[in-house]
Amino acid sequence: MLNLERLRILHAIATYGSVSAAADVLHVTTSAVSQQMGKLERETGQQMLAKNGRGVRLTDAGRLLAGHAERILSLVELAHSDLEAHRGAAVGEIVLGAFPTAARGLLPKALATLRRDHPQLRPRMQEMEPAESVARVVRGDMDLAVVLDWYNRPLSLPPGLAKAPLLDDIADVAMSSDHPLARRAQIELEDFANDDWVSWPDGEFCHDWLMFTLRGKGIEPRLSHSAEEHHTQLALVAAGLGVAVAPRLGRGPVPDGVSVVPVRHTMHRHVYAVWREDADRRPAIRAAVEALQSSARAALTTTTT
C-alpha cells in the first residue's frame, strides 16, 4: 500500500526540482526525504530517483507516480472537505497566512470574529510575504492566505487556487514634514524624480513593483534604505532619509515629522484571500473568508475617512 506522506514527498520533489528544495518546503531534513524515498522505492519495487550531476532527477517511474500523487493528494483534501461539509460546522484547526500590513490591519478582527462565532474552530495565523504563503497553500501546509497585488502589477497565482476579493488598499507617499511637497493636497510620483526612496528589501514583490512603477514613469529609482516593516520605513522618512510609499491598511498614526500626501492618479493594492479549490467546500474556509470580508469592510471605512 502506498504511503501518503511518501507520495507527498515525491510530489514536492517533482514540483520543486530537488531533494533539498523539497526538504525546505516540507520543513524536514534532506536525510529524512532521502530515507522516505528509499522506503517508497522498496514499497513499489521501482527506482524513483536517479543521479543527475550533483542532484537527482525523477525516473520514468518517478514521473508516473508523481502524476498520480498529485491527483491522490488532491482527492484526499477533497475527502476531508466533503466530510467537514457533511458535518456542517466549522471545526478543527485552520492555518491562515497574511502579509504584514494585513496581519496588523485585518487579521485581529477576523480572528476575534471566528473565535466568537465558531468556538470549535482553532484559527492560527502566520505572518509572511505573499509568495511564501501562496506556496504553502499550494503544498497544503496552510489553509488560506491573504495576499496582494498592485493595480499595475498582478501577482501570478498557480492553478488550482480559488480567490475572494477583500478590499482595494490606497497607497499615499510619505515624506518628512519639511519636504517642499509636504503641504500639497495631492502629488504625482514624477514630483519625486530627484528624491531618495525608502523601499522594501530587494526581491520582495512590493520592491519589484516600486522599481517597475517608477521606471514606467521615466524615473530611475534612487534607493537610500530598505526595511520590511512600514513603521520602520516611516521612521526613516521622519529622519529625512527619503520618501516612501505608505499603504493605508494597518498604517495607524504616522510618526511625528512625517507628512502623508495622496497621489493624484491613485495607487492601490488589491487584497484578497486564496485557498485550494479542492478545499472549497470546507465550512472552516467559508467561515474564514466571511470573517476576513467583514474585517475588510470595517478597515475600508477606517482608511477612507
Side-chain angles (χ1 to χ4, degrees):
M1 182 176 293
L2 294 171
N3 179 282
L4 279 178
E5 190 55 36
R6 288 165 202 149
L7 290 180
R8 192 180 305 279
I9 290 172
L10 177 66
H11 178 252
I13 294 172
T15 302
Y16 298 100
S18 71
V19 168
S20 59
D24 287 342
V25 299
L26 295 173
H27 307 293
V28 297
T29 64
T30 55
S31 175
V33 170
S34 297
Q35 290 173 11
Q36 291 298 314
M37 289 304 300
K39 291 180 180 179
L40 181 60
E41 290 180 336
R42 289 193 293 274
E43 286 175 349
T44 59
Q46 297 195 57
Q47 185 179 0
M48 298 286 113
L49 301 177
K51 288 189 177 297
N52 184 31
R54 292 187 175 183
V56 297
R57 60 173 177 81
L58 291 179
T59 63
D60 289 344
R63 286 194 297 271
L64 177 66
L65 187 55
H68 286 295
E70 182 174 10
R71 293 188 292 274
I72 290 168
L73 294 170
S74 179
L75 284 171
V76 169
E77 180 62 42
L78 186 59
H80 285 304
S81 298
D82 284 347
L83 284 172
E84 191 175 320
H86 181 73
R87 185 164 43 190
V91 299
E93 182 177 80
I94 181 171
V95 182
L96 302 91
F99 60 94
T101 49
R104 184 167 58 248
L106 290 181
L107 268 294
K109 181 176 177 60
L111 294 171
T113 298
L114 287 174
R115 184 173 64 178
R116 182 195 68 212
D117 295 347
H118 305 279
Q120 292 181 289
L121 185 64
R122 300 187 305 278
R124 183 161 57 90
M125 188 203 81
Q126 298 177 3
E127 182 182 299
M128 64 187 63
E129 290 300 316
E132 175 62 18
S133 62
V134 167
R136 293 195 182 195
V137 169
V138 168
R139 65 180 180 254
D141 294 341
M142 183 172 283
D143 299 292
L144 181 148
V146 179
V147 300
L148 67 93
D149 59 22
W150 288 88
Y151 67 102
N152 60 343
R153 186 88 168 188
L155 177 68
S156 178
L157 291 176
L161 294 182
K163 61 186 287 189
L166 298 178
L167 79 160
D168 280 356
D169 178 32
I170 295 174
D172 306 309
V173 174
M175 65 203 79
S176 63
S177 296
D178 58 3
H179 192 284
L181 303 178
R183 297 186 181 278
R184 289 268 192 95
Q186 291 182 318
I187 48 83
E188 296 282 11
L189 288 181
E190 290 90 337
D191 296 333
F192 301 95
N194 297 317
D195 283 87
D196 291 335
W197 284 85
V198 178
S199 178
W200 297 265
D202 188 14
E204 287 193 6
F205 181 72
C206 287
H207 170 91
D208 294 344
W209 165 80
L210 181 61
M211 301 300 98
F212 170 82
T213 300
L214 292 177
R215 285 169 178 156
K217 294 182 176 294
I219 303 170
E220 184 53 37
R222 289 168 33 187
L223 301 184
S224 57
H225 302 281
S226 65
E228 292 270 2
E229 277 287 339
H230 286 288
H231 288 306
T232 305
Q233 294 179 9
L234 292 179
L236 293 166
V237 169
L241 300 173
V243 300
V245 173
R248 297 180 185 180
L249 178 64
R251 181 195 294 168
V254 299
D256 292 339
V258 174
S259 295
V260 179
V261 182
V263 180
R264 184 173 292 108
H265 294 94
T266 305
M267 302 186 300
H268 57 271
R269 311 186 296 178
H270 307 296
V271 181
Y272 49 97
V274 298
W275 62 95
R276 295 184 305 281
E277 288 177 347
D278 51 23
D280 196 56
R281 294 185 61 190
R282 288 181 60 193
I285 294 290
R286 297 285 95 199
V289 172
E290 290 170 6
L292 286 165
Q293 289 175 330
S294 175
S295 181
R297 287 191 293 270
L300 192 59
T301 299
T302 302
T303 58
T304 55
T305 56

